[in-house]
Structures are given as C-alpha cells and as structure tokens.
Amino acid sequence: LFDLNQANNQRQLAMRQLQKLQNENGGFSWFEGFPASRDITVAVLEFLAQLTQLNAVEYNQTEREMIIQALRYLDQQIEQDYEWLRRHNTQWSKALPTSRQIDYLYVRSLYRDVPEMGNALEASKFFTRQAFANWKKYGLLHKAEIVLLAHRNGETARTTEILNWLKKTASASKEKGMYWANNRRETMGFVSPIWTHCRLMELFQTVEPDVQQMNQLKQ
C-alpha cells in the first residue's frame, strides 16, 4: 500500500480488466463475452462512485467514457421499463418501482454531473415519485436508498419522515449498539444483513451525522 508505483500499476490493471467486461451497449457482464447484466452494471457504477466519494481515485478520460457508456446503458433500460409499463399496464400510473429500479435511481443519483439520456429523465421522475409515495412498502435496504435519494433531491420533509421511522424502529443494546432486529437476509444474492446495515450507516452518516449514533451503528 505504501508503494505508490505498484498501487498505480494495480489500479490500471484492474481498470483494463473491467473495461474488458463492458459490452458494446455499455453494460458490464459477469464474465468476458457474456451478455450485459443490469445488476452487475449498477454494482460497478456504485463502487466506482464510492471510490470518488472517498477521494481514492480520479478517473481519466477513457475511464470516464466507460462510466458514461454504462450510464447510457442503464438509462436505456429504465426507459424501456417505463415504456413497457405504459404500454402493457392499464394501471401503470400506480405501479410500484421494482427493487432493481430503486437500485438504479439510487446509483444514478451518484452521477448528477451526467444528465439522463433520451427519455430516461421522464422515466426516472416517474419511478422516483412512486418510490417516495410508497416507501413504506419496501424493505430496509430500499428504504435507506429512498431516503438517500430524497436527500439528494432536496426532499427534506420526505427525508425526515423516513429517517424518523427508521430511528423509531431501531433497537439498541449494550452488546449490539444500534441495529434493526428485522434486518434479515433477502432472497436476492447480493442482499445480506451486513450489506443492508452498511447502507443504513451510510444513510445516517450522510443525512444526520452524529458521532455517538455512528459509534452505536458501527458496534
């Protein structure tokens, strides 16, 4: 870690390997040569954004173009979701965003410097409104993502409402600190209690930073 040359070489190697997993449509695949995966693309973009937030990396032009292509792929996917919904669901205006769509909204909000492409902005606004209106129907992970999305959108009242609910439903003990007893493993392979708890920690650190509260969450 203290050998900066070696660290830089490893970083460049990792980015080249990542670029090999990006398809022509901009999406990333599980393995080289496989079809693009929305879930993998969302995960890659989230991790790349986190590195930027930590001031750990600064992406060059080639890497930024890779990121923009991935965002374009996800924008096309959410646009297709919206068009399919309007075409095939007579009650489309009342539809709940899927967990995959919530994940998209959360990650897309990390790239405000890159405008939504095509008609993705209209789709994003619709799914965002529905997520805010129906936040109680989601699990802990997606509640946390909805709060972060509301916070980034300047939706102060909605942010406070959901944050207060999370604090009200949290448990506390000398052994475990602050936690949620109903935080259980979901059917999705990526979603574990630790993953969910870390997202909740990110939420409180971002929206309502408090040293004592964060120490309880870390415990």
Side-chain angles (χ1 to χ4, degrees):
L1 291 175
F2 292 100
D3 186 335
L4 297 182
N5 287 328
Q6 183 179 357
N8 186 55
N9 290 336
Q10 289 293 324
R11 176 201 180 286
Q12 292 179 8
L13 175 61
M15 292 302 289
R16 285 198 298 270
Q17 291 175 333
L18 190 59
Q19 288 168 349
K20 289 181 180 179
L21 296 173
Q22 187 171 34
N23 291 2
E24 291 184 1
N25 61 9
F28 291 96
S29 60
W30 286 84
F31 302 100
E32 187 176 354
F34 277 55
S37 163
R38 289 177 70 170
D39 297 328
I40 288 295
T41 305
V42 164
V44 168
L45 287 173
E46 178 183 345
F47 298 147
L48 292 176
Q50 286 178 342
L51 289 172
T52 302
Q53 291 174 330
L54 293 169
N55 294 319
V57 297
E58 186 172 332
Y59 299 117
N60 60 37
Q61 184 59 32
T62 299
E63 292 162 353
R64 278 193 56 79
E65 289 175 0
M66 177 188 74
I67 291 171
I68 291 172
Q69 290 173 7
L71 290 170
R72 182 180 294 114
Y73 164 76
L74 289 180
D75 286 350
Q76 290 173 344
Q77 297 299 311
I78 203 71
E79 183 180 341
Q80 290 173 11
D81 288 350
Y82 185 53
E83 291 175 355
W84 187 96
L85 190 64
R86 297 184 64 180
R87 192 177 297 124
H88 296 94
N89 189 340
T90 56
Q91 300 292 319
W92 69 270
S93 61
K94 300 178 182 179
L96 295 180
T98 64
S99 58
R100 177 177 282 171
Q101 290 160 351
I102 296 291
D103 291 340
Y104 161 83
L105 295 172
Y106 164 76
V107 171
R108 196 62 178 82
S109 70
L110 298 171
Y111 293 92
R112 290 294 171 84
D113 59 323
V114 182
E116 286 89 346
M117 294 159 242
N119 293 324
L121 180 58
E122 181 181 350
S124 293
K125 287 182 176 179
F126 168 75
F127 288 121
T128 298
R129 286 196 305 270
Q130 291 301 100
F132 289 166
N134 297 280
W135 66 268
K136 292 181 180 179
K137 298 179 181 180
Y138 293 94
L140 279 172
L141 176 68
H142 291 103
K143 278 188 175 75
E145 291 184 352
I146 290 170
V147 182
L148 286 164
L149 183 61
H151 176 69
R152 291 169 188 155
N153 285 5
E155 296 278 349
T156 306
R158 186 70 70 187
T159 301
T160 302
E161 178 188 13
I162 308 175
L163 195 66
N164 287 340
W165 183 92
L166 287 169
K167 287 191 288 188
K168 184 178 179 180
T169 57
S171 300
S173 72
K174 291 184 178 180
E175 179 186 6
K176 295 183 179 180
M178 182 178 176
Y179 67 100
W180 284 262
N182 62 336
N183 181 9
R184 298 283 186 267
R185 177 174 293 277
E186 298 184 15
T187 55
M188 290 178 58
F190 286 138
V191 182
S192 70
I194 293 177
W195 181 289
T196 299
H197 190 82
C198 287
R199 181 72 83 228
L200 289 160
M201 290 175 65
E202 174 193 357
L203 161 63
F204 279 91
Q205 178 64 30
T206 302
V207 179
E208 192 178 78
D210 178 270
V211 174
Q212 183 178 356
Q213 185 170 253
M214 286 307 300
N215 285 337
Q216 290 178 324
L217 287 165
K218 291 175 183 177
Q219 189 179 338

